[in-house]
Each structure stands twice: as structure tokens, then as C-alpha cells.
Amino acid sequence: FYPARERFQDFAGAWDELNERLYHGHPLLDSCFVGSCVRHFATVKDVLAVYGPSQQPAGMVLLRRARPGVSRTFLAAQAHIAPVLLESSAVADSLVRSLPNFSLWLDFLCQDPENSCFEPERMDPGHDRMPHAVTTRVRLNGEFEAYWSNRSKNLRKSIRRHHQWLDDDGYKLSLRLVTDPADLVQALRRYGCLLYTSPSPRDRTRS
């Protein structure tokens, strides 16, 4: 167990190798993203647990003590899944038994079944599961028209309504793909500005 804020970057290479081996380099588990969350949102009491050899561990997870006897995974509000890299649920059990401060329970928050050692259809002894949310995922196979026709009627109606508002205000919709890494920073910055500062068209509410 290591202080997360002080030592996470020292293990970033091993973290990314384990992420690549387990989940093919999942972007939300990449050390760049996780490291930023640790740097800005972890407390001095949060720890990085490394299970196995430090150069090629079988498990790595960021932990926080929730209350006496209970620990949980570190989870920044900006993260959709908790940063947990474990080869198997057996590693998780071993981790629980080695927790400091006499912890009797470990909550693994926000686990995506497709990117977790905990299988959705299997319940190991001593484990409990609590559904949290439906994972949002867009499959890339098939045609867009088939995907869109399967979305809810209310969503499609809402999008058409917003498009009509833009047309009424004289805006032209266009789609531009940004693929050059040099342009991504500016594109993401613009996206953030639109997301957090732009009101709905003309601040109107229509039925």
C-alpha cells in the first residue's frame, strides 16, 4: 500500500501495462486520466494498492477508507468507472484480507461488467452486488440509420425539435471530424465551453 498522491506516477508504467493486458488499454483506466483524477481529487489518506510484483502486478486499485471497518475504491466525480485493475475476483478477495486498519468490507464502486473481474452472471461467496446504472455504450457495427431508428421516440422528437430551433435562428448544421492530434486540444476546449456555458437556443422552452 502506497500513498496515492505521492506514488501513483511511480507506478504509471505498470498500471498502463496491466490496463493493456486486461482491458486493451481502456481510456478511462489510462494512467493519464486516472493520474489527473488522483492529482486533483485524491486526499492524503487515499492509497494505491499493488498486489504482486511491483513491475508486473496481478492487481492495482486506488482505495479510500469510508468509515471504520469499511474501505471503498477511489472514484472521482468525473470518472464513470472506478479505477480497478484486478486479474480475478480471487485477487480481490486476497486484497480484502490484506487491507490495513482492520477493514472487513471493501466496496468496488461503479464496475462496468465488460471491464471488470467481477462477472455479472456469477456471485462468488462473500460477495454482494448492487445495480448502480446502465452502462452507456454505442456499438460501432451496423448502419447509423438502424441505430437511430432503435432510439426512443421521445429522443428523436427532441432532436428534431432542436434542429428546427437552430434552423429558425439561421444556424447551419455541419459535421467536421477532428482526427489530427494537434487539433484535439482546441476541439475539446470548444466542446467544454459549449457544454457548460451555452444556453438552449434563445433560452426557449417549447413543447
Side-chain angles (χ1 to χ4, degrees):
F1 296 93
Y2 303 91
R5 291 177 61 176
E6 296 177 15
R7 298 297 306 278
F8 180 81
Q9 284 305 124
D10 296 340
F11 291 91
W15 179 281
D16 285 335
E17 288 179 10
L18 188 57
N19 180 29
E20 182 65 35
R21 179 154 53 90
L22 296 179
Y23 307 124
H24 309 290
H26 195 296
L28 291 181
L29 297 174
D30 187 275
S31 67
C32 290
F33 177 70
V34 176
S36 294
C37 290
V38 170
R39 186 165 58 254
H40 293 289
F41 304 111
T43 71
V44 294
K45 295 182 179 180
D46 294 336
V47 299
L48 169 66
V50 180
Y51 185 85
S54 60
Q55 296 303 314
Q56 194 172 13
M60 303 180 79
V61 57
L62 290 156
L63 300 174
R64 169 173 291 178
R65 190 183 184 196
R67 58 185 183 274
V70 178
S71 295
R72 64 178 175 83
T73 49
F74 166 78
L75 181 67
Q78 290 75 11
H80 294 281
I81 58 177
V84 175
L85 301 176
L86 301 174
E87 283 187 346
S88 67
S89 59
V91 174
D93 292 337
S94 297
L95 181 63
V96 172
R97 289 192 293 269
S98 60
L99 286 172
N101 302 318
F102 303 103
S103 291
L104 303 175
W105 186 271
L106 176 55
D107 284 333
F108 289 93
L109 305 175
C110 295
Q111 292 297 286
D112 181 348
E114 293 195 9
N115 299 281
S116 173
C117 67
F118 303 106
E119 299 179 21
E121 304 302 326
R122 190 180 108 186
M123 183 70 70
D124 292 329
H127 292 192
D128 192 16
R129 181 182 297 113
M130 181 181 295
H132 171 69
V134 176
T135 302
T136 301
R137 180 176 289 105
V138 178
R139 303 290 183 184
L140 298 182
N141 55 315
E143 299 295 329
F144 175 79
E145 288 74 15
Y147 157 77
W148 189 241
S149 65
N150 285 323
R151 304 307 303 271
S152 73
K153 181 179 179 180
N154 287 340
L155 173 64
R156 287 178 283 149
K157 180 180 178 180
S158 176
I159 295 298
R160 285 196 301 269
R161 184 169 65 248
H162 282 77
H163 283 185
Q164 186 60 52
W165 291 354
L166 291 171
D167 288 340
D168 292 346
D169 287 344
Y171 290 100
K172 282 295 201 178
L173 286 176
S174 64
L175 175 64
R176 183 167 66 93
L177 299 180
V178 178
T179 58
D180 189 335
D183 296 331
L184 286 178
V185 172
Q186 183 60 34
L188 289 172
R189 184 177 291 116
R190 177 59 177 160
Y191 172 78
C193 290
L194 290 172
L195 183 63
Y196 291 107
T197 65
S198 296
S200 57
R202 294 194 300 195
D203 280 329
R204 297 174 301 188
T205 301
R206 298 181 175 182
S207 58

